[in-house]
């Protein structure tokens, strides 16, 4: 350290406390980075890497970004999962003899960004903290710094439940103590790309009292305090917008684990991981950003409280009945900005005059909202009206203080209205009158001198001056003006009177800018006092927005109000998959009924691939989710129980990161359902057991059905291609067969997509392969093999002879030949026989996907080397 220059020593000392972050070190008009930070930042940001002498033996790597454009570079780093420590000069360089004092004023992380590309309008940006409790449960707290929301809960389902919750809320960063197991930290980092930050301080500070007032469990208080300590330490500024933390229990909501949400594509699609094509995408008719965020939270956590579900339904029903009033309501909501995030920026101190204008315009819509909602004859709507606070005093303050179109900068003036401050008005009068006097003086001097081109100008170096062209200098009376500057084609002059007015005008303008800035800061501080009221207003408006969204989508898509029953009956008449119905353009969606009562706990669904089994299963689950969120549902009639949990195993997907095969994923998801499901749960199992051998898969599938039937009693939709399982309807009293119908016409299959009672008569697998346009010769051969298999059913394992070589055309040879022509003729080389023997020895079931790919590559390489 001693060999480096004092400035580099200062840099290294500060950097030691921020090893996991890029240190943006302020040097004049640039943020500079050195050593490893410079090497990595130059690559990530694609900026020039240079070097400088720092006093050591070698030159120090260095790169930098301009101060005025640093925000874009910081956003890029945050978006890629990095942290950035902002190190500013905290004293005036002109008044310092040695190295200017510098300090980190803010640590920006993926979980603490307030604005920019990383913040989506209709998405929360959560940062979470985790604490391990002595009783084995785990505390989870999370915060959205941009809105001030705080929530905390205790989870008893181990790390899996914590991971599910973190993935569900989309946490970008997780704050943990250093006692958390490394395996858990690794899973959060590698599987879910969450940034991990260490904070061991969970002490309760006095300033946390307003936030922690509603938490009564000491363990949860410390979990929340760990997160708050991290936030206050890293942000180094006012966090007055942080709201009271609310506690909740997971059983207060319909539990849907992360994998089930993914399988059902509730908030994002499986293929693109984007919003488009998801249930949330279909539903989102919200008009405000904060309403969009509330809609997502309602989809993530549907209700189990029937009274609250019916309250939402009642409001939706009234909104549907008042079409024209609802359109006026939507128009008013369209003009409401993001009150939650505006309040956050006010507290954070980075709000400008335009933001305050957005706040004023939003508040001006509140009286219209109140007037509109009073038109509905519904006690639940009336309750919403009663809690709406129009914040009249704040509206008046902003109306009287801020001009309608203020500039972006808060330091250049032209922000405050005339008449708001007496002293400011006096300065403005002096400035305006001074300029009027100068304009009059210009006209007066033109008349006195007879020089019509005479003009009075201004620049920052000389101030105000009188300019006369060289051609007119002969007309100027000697000694009238004092010469100031000579130009190539003109002379500039001043007078004592002009300089006196200049002083008055410039002093007034300087004082105007300074006073406007101070007045704006005072107004901003006054607005801070309204933050709690603004946040309560934002929650109410968000709820109104989501409910009108439900009403709009229910009316547009012809959804019906579901009713709920205590006897666990499911009766969905002409139900539809909401998203599939919307995206289908070329054909009409085929609706289907679903009926399950006390004698039908398990529906065993058979039918060919592509016929709609998975769609039918998903639509039942999505109908339940919509209903328990308070929305109407896609059907002509719906009677449902209130489910406590939904479990799914749909689709085939390896989890390569966790080193798990498709079959292992199937078994883990099945285990999760079997262990946690109750009789009030809904289970969707799609072709369980297909990832292993036929007999293993069939045995497991039957055992799972039997276990659910005998030990759980949950409503279950179980699709399968194992037709032998359809006999379970006879053996198990609450199992019922249904199938998706299809018909064969002229040798091709036509899917009717209609659910009917009883098992499917055949699977039509070869027909599906034909629709996929596999080679004709392959389809013909498959049919031959199928006939032989069907003829030998119930007998010993059939010996199906290999296809004769003379029945293969030259065209087919190119499609079917894995080896050389010699192989087709039955004359394999020794080299190929060796490879075939190796293939026979492989235990495919126990191989991971990566092992299989490596083995295939090795075989291909050997064959190509011949």
């Amino acid at each position: 350290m001693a060999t480096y220059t004092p400035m580099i020593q200062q840099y290294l000392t500060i950097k030691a406390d921020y090893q996991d972050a890029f240190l943006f070190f302020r040097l004049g008009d640039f943020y500079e980075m050195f050593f490893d930070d410079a090497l990595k930042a130059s690559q990530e940001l694609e900026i020039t890497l240079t070097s400088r002498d720092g006093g050591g033996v070698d030159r120090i790597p260095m790169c930098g970004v301009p101060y005025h454009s640093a925000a874009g570079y910081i956003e890029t780093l945050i978006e890629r999962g990095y942290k950035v420590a902002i190190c500013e000069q905290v004293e005036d360089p002109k008044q310092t003899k040695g190295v200017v004092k510098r300090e980190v004023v803010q640590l920006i992380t993926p979980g603490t960004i307030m604005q920019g590309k990383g913040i989506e309008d209709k998405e929360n940006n959560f940062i979470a903290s985790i604490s391990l409790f002595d009783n084995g449960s785990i505390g989870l707290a999370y915060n959205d710094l941009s809105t001030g929301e705080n929530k905390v809960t205790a989870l008893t389902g181990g790390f899996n439940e914590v991971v599910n919750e973190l993935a569900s809320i989309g946490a970008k960063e997780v704050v943990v103590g250093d006692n958390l197991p490394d395996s858990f930290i690794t899973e959060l980092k590698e599987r879910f790309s969450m940034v991990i930050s260490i904070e061991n301080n969970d002490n309760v500070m006095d300033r946390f009292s307003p936030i922690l007032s509603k938490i009564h469990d000491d363990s949860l208080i410390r979990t929340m305090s760990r997160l708050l300590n991290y936030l206050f330490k890293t942000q180094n500024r006012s966090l007055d917008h942080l709201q009271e933390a609310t506690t909740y229990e997971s059983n207060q909501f319909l539990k849907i684990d992360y994998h089930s949400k993914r399988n059902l594509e509730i908030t994002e699609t499986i293929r693109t991981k984007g919003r488009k094509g998801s249930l949330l995408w279909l539903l989102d008719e919200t008009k405000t950003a904060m309403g969009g965020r509330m809609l997502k939270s309602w989809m993530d956590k549907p209700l189990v409280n029937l009274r609250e579900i019916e309250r939402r339904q009642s409001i939706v029903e009234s909104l549907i009945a008042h079409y024209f009033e609802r359109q006026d309501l939507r128009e008013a909501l369209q003009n409401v900005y993001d009150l939650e995030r505006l309040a956050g920026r006010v507290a954070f101190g980075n709000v400008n005059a335009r933001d305050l204008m957005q706040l004023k315009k939003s508040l001006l819509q509140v009286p219209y909202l109140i007037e509109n909602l009073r038109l509905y004859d519904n006690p639940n709507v009336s309750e919403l009206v009663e809690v709406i606070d129009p914040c009249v005093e704040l509206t008046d303050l902003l109306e009287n203080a801020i001009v309608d179109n203020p500039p972006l900068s808060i330091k250049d003036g032209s922000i405050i209205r005339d008449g708001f401050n007496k002293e400011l008005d006096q300065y403005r009068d002096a400035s305006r009158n001074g300029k009027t006097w100068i304009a009059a003086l210009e006209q007066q001097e033109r008349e006195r001198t007879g020089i019509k081109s005479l003009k009075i100008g201004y620049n920052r170096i000389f101030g105000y001056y009188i300019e006369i062209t060289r051609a007119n200098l002969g007309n100027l009376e000697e000694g009238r003006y004092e010469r100031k500057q000579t130009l190539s084609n003109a002379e500039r002059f001043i007078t004592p009177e002009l300089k006196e007015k200049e002083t008055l005008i410039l002093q007034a303008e300087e004082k105007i800018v300074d006073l406007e800035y101070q007045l704006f800061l005072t107004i901003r501080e006054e607005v801070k006092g309204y933050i709690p009221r603004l946040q309560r207003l934002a929650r109410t408006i968000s709820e109104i927005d989501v409910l009108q969204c439900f009403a709009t989508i229910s009316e547009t898509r012809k959804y019906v109000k579901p009713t709920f029953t205590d006897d666990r009956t499911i009766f969905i008449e002409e139900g539809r998959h909401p998203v599939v119905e919307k995206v289908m353009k070329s054909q009409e969606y085929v609706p289907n009924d679903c009926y399950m009562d006390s004698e039908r706990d398990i529906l065993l669904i058979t039918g060919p691939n592509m016929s709609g089994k998975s769609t039918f299963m998903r639509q039942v689950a999505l109908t339940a989710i919509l209903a328990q969120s308070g929305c109407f549902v896609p059907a002509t009639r719906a009677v449902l129980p209130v489910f406590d949990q939904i479990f799914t195993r749909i689709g085939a997907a390896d989890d390569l990161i966790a080193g798990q095969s498709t079959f292992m994923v199937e078994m883990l998801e099945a285990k999760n359902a079997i262990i946690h499901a109750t009789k009030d749960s809904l289970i969707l199992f799609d072709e369980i057991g297909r990832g292993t051998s036929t007999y293993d898969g069939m045995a497991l599938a039957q055992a799972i059905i039997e276990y659910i039937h005998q030990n759980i009693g949950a409503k279950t939709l179980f699709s399968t291609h194992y037709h032998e399982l359809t006999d379970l309807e006879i053996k198990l009293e609450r199992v019922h067969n249904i199938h998706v119908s299809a018909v064969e016409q002229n040798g091709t299959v036509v899917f009717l997509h209609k659910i009917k009672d009883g098992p499917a008569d055949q699977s039509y697998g070869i027909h599906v392969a034909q629709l996929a346009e596999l080679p004709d010769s392959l389809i013909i051969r498959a049919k031959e093999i199928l006939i032989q298999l069907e003829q030998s059913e119930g007998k010993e394992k059939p010996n199906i002879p290999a296809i004769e070589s003379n029945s293969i055309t030259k065209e087919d040879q190119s499609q079917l030949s894995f080896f050389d022509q010699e192989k087709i003729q039955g004359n394999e080389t020794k080299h190929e026989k060796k490879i075939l023997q190796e293939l026979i020895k492989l235990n495919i079931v126990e191989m991971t996907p990566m092992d299989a790919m490596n083995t295939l590559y090795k075989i291909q390489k050997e064959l190509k080397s011949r």
Side-chain angles (χ1 to χ4, degrees):
M1 178 78 82
T3 62
Y4 291 116
T5 62
M7 189 200 74
I8 296 299
Q9 289 184 38
Q10 181 190 54
Y11 169 86
L12 291 170
T13 301
I14 296 171
K15 174 66 181 174
D17 293 328
Y18 297 92
Q19 292 294 322
D20 60 345
F22 285 101
L23 183 63
F24 273 42
F25 192 77
R26 183 71 178 272
L27 281 177
D29 290 333
F30 279 79
Y31 285 121
E32 302 288 2
M33 286 162 277
F34 305 105
F35 300 101
D36 289 342
D37 276 9
L39 296 172
K40 186 179 270 188
S42 64
Q43 294 175 343
E44 294 287 349
L45 300 175
E46 297 182 1
I47 56 179
T48 303
L49 178 68
T50 61
S51 64
R52 67 173 290 161
D53 182 17
V57 177
D58 300 319
R59 291 179 66 82
I60 295 170
M62 179 181 80
C63 70
V65 298
Y67 164 76
H68 62 83
S69 61
Y73 293 104
I74 292 170
E75 286 177 10
T76 298
L77 292 173
I78 298 302
E79 196 174 359
R80 296 179 183 179
Y82 295 108
K83 303 177 185 179
V84 177
I86 308 298
C87 183
E88 296 285 4
Q89 298 172 173
V90 293
E91 61 182 4
D92 189 349
K94 296 178 182 178
Q95 300 177 0
T96 305
K97 292 183 179 180
V99 177
V100 178
K101 185 178 180 182
R102 293 179 176 85
E103 292 177 356
V104 171
V105 297
Q106 186 184 7
L107 179 66
I108 305 174
T109 69
T112 60
I113 53 174
M114 291 288 289
Q115 60 190 88
K117 292 186 297 184
I119 293 282
E120 295 288 341
D121 287 344
K122 292 190 173 184
E123 299 274 349
N124 282 105
N125 191 69
F126 285 122
I127 178 173
S129 72
I130 299 170
S131 296
L132 302 179
F133 300 155
D134 293 337
N135 64 0
S137 63
I138 301 173
L140 171 66
Y142 52 95
N143 158 276
D144 183 342
L145 194 61
S146 66
T147 65
E149 297 171 66
N150 292 298
K151 295 183 180 180
V152 62
T153 186
L155 302 173
T156 57
F159 285 143
N160 285 337
E161 188 176 8
V162 176
V163 168
N164 278 330
E165 194 71 8
L166 289 172
S168 176
I169 65 174
K172 302 288 181 63
E173 182 177 358
V174 184
V175 180
V176 301
D178 55 17
N179 63 334
L180 202 71
D182 290 341
S183 58
F184 187 40
I185 291 177
T186 300
E187 183 172 9
L188 292 179
K189 280 183 178 179
E190 295 183 359
R191 247 184 116 186
F192 296 98
S193 301
M194 296 178 188
V195 174
I196 304 298
S197 299
I198 303 297
E199 178 58 65
N200 290 310
N201 181 11
D202 60 1
N203 295 327
V204 183
M205 313 297 286
D206 290 339
R207 60 183 171 185
F208 300 165
S209 298
I211 302 169
L212 303 173
S213 60
K214 290 185 177 179
I215 308 176
H216 305 296
D217 183 282
D218 184 62
S219 297
L220 293 182
I221 288 174
R222 291 195 170 276
T223 302
M224 194 74 231
S225 294
R226 182 193 306 279
L227 181 55
L228 294 174
N229 278 314
Y230 177 79
L231 292 175
F232 276 93
K233 181 176 76 175
T234 58
Q235 300 311 298
N236 288 327
R237 61 187 67 198
S238 168
L239 299 178
D240 293 342
H241 68 300
L242 294 188
Q243 303 176 39
E244 285 182 330
T246 57
T247 59
Y248 69 93
E249 295 180 10
S250 57
N251 60 10
Q252 292 175 321
F253 303 98
L254 172 60
K255 288 184 182 179
I256 313 172
D257 64 68
Y258 168 71
H259 296 290
S260 296
K261 287 179 180 177
R262 181 171 167 270
N263 288 335
L264 294 172
E265 300 185 307
I266 296 174
T267 59
E268 64 179 27
T269 60
I270 295 174
R271 177 178 291 182
T272 66
K273 297 190 182 298
R275 179 181 283 224
K276 186 174 182 180
S278 67
L279 179 64
L280 182 62
W281 164 76
L282 166 83
L283 289 176
D284 195 356
E285 287 287 340
T286 57
K287 291 295 183 180
T288 68
M290 50 196 181
R293 292 194 295 273
M294 182 172 281
L295 172 63
K296 184 176 185 298
S297 73
W298 285 13
M299 289 297 101
D300 277 328
K301 288 182 167 54
L303 301 170
V304 294
N305 184 314
L306 181 57
R307 183 176 178 182
E308 178 59 20
I309 294 171
E310 291 177 339
R311 185 189 78 86
R312 290 182 185 176
Q313 285 184 333
S314 169
I315 298 172
V316 171
E317 194 169 32
S318 288
L319 288 164
I320 291 174
H322 293 76
Y323 173 81
F324 292 107
E325 292 86 350
R326 189 175 79 249
Q327 296 309 310
D328 292 339
L329 179 67
R330 284 167 61 81
E331 188 175 336
L333 289 169
Q334 184 78 48
N335 295 311
V336 177
Y337 291 86
D338 197 336
L339 295 177
E340 286 181 316
R341 284 183 170 153
L342 283 172
R345 294 182 65 188
V346 168
F348 224 58
N350 58 0
V351 73
N352 59 36
R354 291 187 186 178
D355 294 327
L356 293 186
M357 277 299 94
Q358 290 184 354
L359 179 56
K360 185 193 81 170
K361 289 176 182 177
S362 301
L363 292 174
L364 288 173
Q365 298 302 314
V366 176
Y368 295 111
L369 294 176
I370 293 173
E371 183 182 350
N372 179 283
L373 293 170
R374 281 179 176 156
L375 299 173
Y376 302 82
D377 184 19
N378 184 308
N380 294 308
V381 176
S382 299
E383 286 179 10
L384 282 175
V385 175
E386 290 303 315
V387 298
I388 295 178
D389 178 3
C391 299
V392 176
E393 309 93 328
L394 177 57
T395 308
D396 291 342
L397 169 65
L398 297 175
E399 179 68 31
N400 295 328
I402 310 294
V403 299
D404 289 336
N405 296 298
L408 195 59
S409 171
I410 62 175
K411 295 186 176 181
D412 294 339
S414 302
I415 294 175
I416 306 299
R417 280 187 186 276
D418 289 342
F420 179 73
N421 180 270
K422 189 174 181 179
E423 183 182 0
L424 178 62
D425 290 343
Q426 290 173 345
Y427 287 135
R428 282 179 172 167
D429 185 62
S431 174
R432 289 165 185 166
N433 287 338
K435 290 179 179 178
T436 302
W437 181 87
I438 286 174
L441 176 64
E442 183 181 70
Q443 184 61 33
Q444 176 185 315
E445 291 303 309
R446 285 178 179 177
E447 293 174 358
R448 286 182 179 177
T449 61
I451 304 171
K452 292 184 178 180
S453 62
L454 180 148
K455 68 177 182 180
I456 297 179
Y458 172 82
N459 66 36
R460 293 190 177 185
I461 299 173
F462 296 109
Y464 285 97
Y465 55 81
I466 299 170
E467 183 174 291
I468 299 174
T469 60
R470 285 192 176 279
N472 289 298
L473 286 176
N475 298 327
L476 185 62
E477 181 185 338
E478 187 69 29
R480 180 168 182 79
Y481 303 140
E482 177 185 339
R483 191 182 301 275
K484 187 67 178 177
Q485 185 184 15
T486 300
L487 303 177
S488 60
N489 63 345
E491 291 284 345
R492 289 176 176 175
F493 305 89
I494 61 172
T495 68
E497 191 178 19
L498 182 60
K499 298 311 288 183
E500 183 181 340
K501 284 294 183 182
E502 175 190 298
T503 302
L504 176 65
I505 294 168
L506 294 183
Q507 284 182 348
E509 290 182 349
E510 185 178 336
K511 288 179 179 178
I512 287 169
V513 172
D514 290 342
L515 182 55
E516 282 206 60
Y517 178 66
Q518 293 304 320
L519 287 171
F520 179 80
L521 296 182
T522 302
I523 293 166
R524 191 167 68 186
E525 282 301 309
E526 196 169 342
V527 175
K528 270 189 184 182
Y530 290 89
I531 286 177
R533 292 172 64 181
L534 288 173
Q535 289 172 331
R536 287 193 293 272
L537 175 63
R539 285 195 292 273
T540 304
I541 292 178
S542 298
E543 184 175 0
I544 293 167
D545 194 12
V546 178
L547 292 169
Q548 73 76 23
C549 157
F550 283 171
T552 299
I553 203 73
S554 296
E555 182 182 53
T556 304
R557 310 298 302 176
K558 295 181 172 55
Y559 293 176
V560 297
K561 178 183 175 182
T563 57
F564 293 91
T565 177
D566 294 331
D567 63 7
R568 298 175 60 246
T569 295
I570 298 175
F571 177 51
I572 301 172
E573 184 179 314
E574 294 193 351
R576 291 111 59 197
H577 188 296
V579 180
V580 175
E581 180 190 32
K582 179 176 179 177
V583 299
M584 284 180 65
K585 297 178 181 177
S586 60
Q587 59 188 108
E588 187 177 345
Y589 188 88
V590 178
N592 274 302
D593 299 344
C594 179
Y595 179 64
M596 303 177 79
D597 58 9
S598 58
E599 297 179 359
R600 291 188 180 193
D601 278 345
I602 300 175
L603 293 182
L604 194 58
I605 311 167
T606 50
N609 283 321
M610 293 178 58
S611 61
K613 298 191 301 298
S614 298
T615 300
F616 173 73
M617 295 169 71
R618 283 188 173 101
Q619 76 186 36
V620 173
L622 293 180
T623 298
I625 290 167
L626 285 172
Q628 290 183 223
S629 298
C631 187
F632 288 11
V633 300
T636 57
R637 183 187 170 199
V639 179
L640 298 162
V642 175
F643 292 109
D644 63 352
Q645 301 172 90
I646 293 179
F647 300 94
T648 71
R649 171 55 218 163
I650 299 175
D654 292 340
D655 191 345
L656 295 177
I657 295 176
Q660 295 168 351
S661 67
T662 300
F663 183 62
M664 178 58 78
V665 171
E666 276 190 17
M667 292 300 101
L668 289 173
E669 292 184 10
K671 169 194 168 186
N672 183 48
I674 289 167
I675 290 178
H676 297 108
T678 71
K679 66 179 179 59
D680 295 318
S681 301
L682 175 64
I683 300 175
L684 311 180
F685 278 164
D686 188 14
E687 299 182 34
I688 284 287
R690 63 183 165 186
T692 184
S693 69
T694 301
Y695 295 116
D696 277 354
M698 194 185 307
L700 281 166
Q702 179 169 335
I704 288 171
I705 293 170
E706 291 173 349
Y707 187 91
I708 294 172
H709 184 273
Q710 303 294 75
N711 299 287
I712 302 174
K715 296 297 182 188
T716 304
L717 304 180
F718 196 108
S719 75
T720 184
H721 280 295
Y722 299 133
H723 285 260
E724 292 82 354
L725 296 180
T726 57
D727 292 342
L728 290 175
E729 183 182 56
I730 302 170
K731 303 173 184 176
L732 302 174
E733 59 184 7
R734 296 190 308 282
V735 172
H736 184 76
N737 284 318
I738 61 174
H739 70 279
V740 189
S741 59
V743 294
E744 193 173 344
Q745 293 180 352
N746 301 321
T748 61
V749 66
V750 177
F751 300 121
L752 302 179
H753 304 293
K754 199 70 179 175
I755 296 292
K756 294 186 178 180
D757 277 339
D761 55 356
Q762 56 178 306
S763 67
Y764 299 101
I766 293 176
H767 293 87
V768 174
Q770 198 168 0
L771 287 175
E773 298 183 350
L774 268 66
D776 291 342
S777 59
L778 187 152
I779 298 296
I780 293 168
R781 178 59 176 155
K783 288 179 178 178
E784 292 174 357
I785 295 172
L786 177 62
I787 291 169
Q788 295 179 51
L789 287 170
E790 288 174 343
Q791 289 174 348
S792 64
E793 190 172 357
K795 303 175 184 179
E796 292 183 5
K797 185 177 178 181
N799 180 23
I800 301 172
I803 191 166
E804 296 294 331
S805 60
N806 57 12
S807 67
I808 302 176
T809 66
K810 290 184 178 180
E811 180 184 352
D812 294 332
Q813 288 175 4
S814 63
Q815 295 172 335
L816 300 179
S817 175
F818 285 94
F819 302 114
D820 288 343
Q821 186 67 22
E822 290 177 293
K823 189 269 170 193
I824 297 174
Q825 296 172 346
N827 299 319
E828 302 94 334
T829 64
K830 291 181 180 179
H831 185 71
E832 289 165 350
K833 284 182 178 178
K834 179 184 175 185
I835 293 174
L836 286 170
Q837 289 170 357
E838 289 177 1
L839 279 171
I840 292 169
K841 293 177 182 177
L842 291 176
N843 188 342
I844 301 295
V845 174
E846 294 184 2
M847 294 178 74
T848 67
M850 192 57 69
D851 290 338
M853 288 178 67
N854 289 333
T855 304
L856 183 60
Y857 174 75
K858 180 181 174 183
I859 291 170
Q860 185 187 56
K861 188 175 179 182
E862 287 183 20
L863 288 170
K864 286 182 177 179
S865 67
R866 290 188 60 220

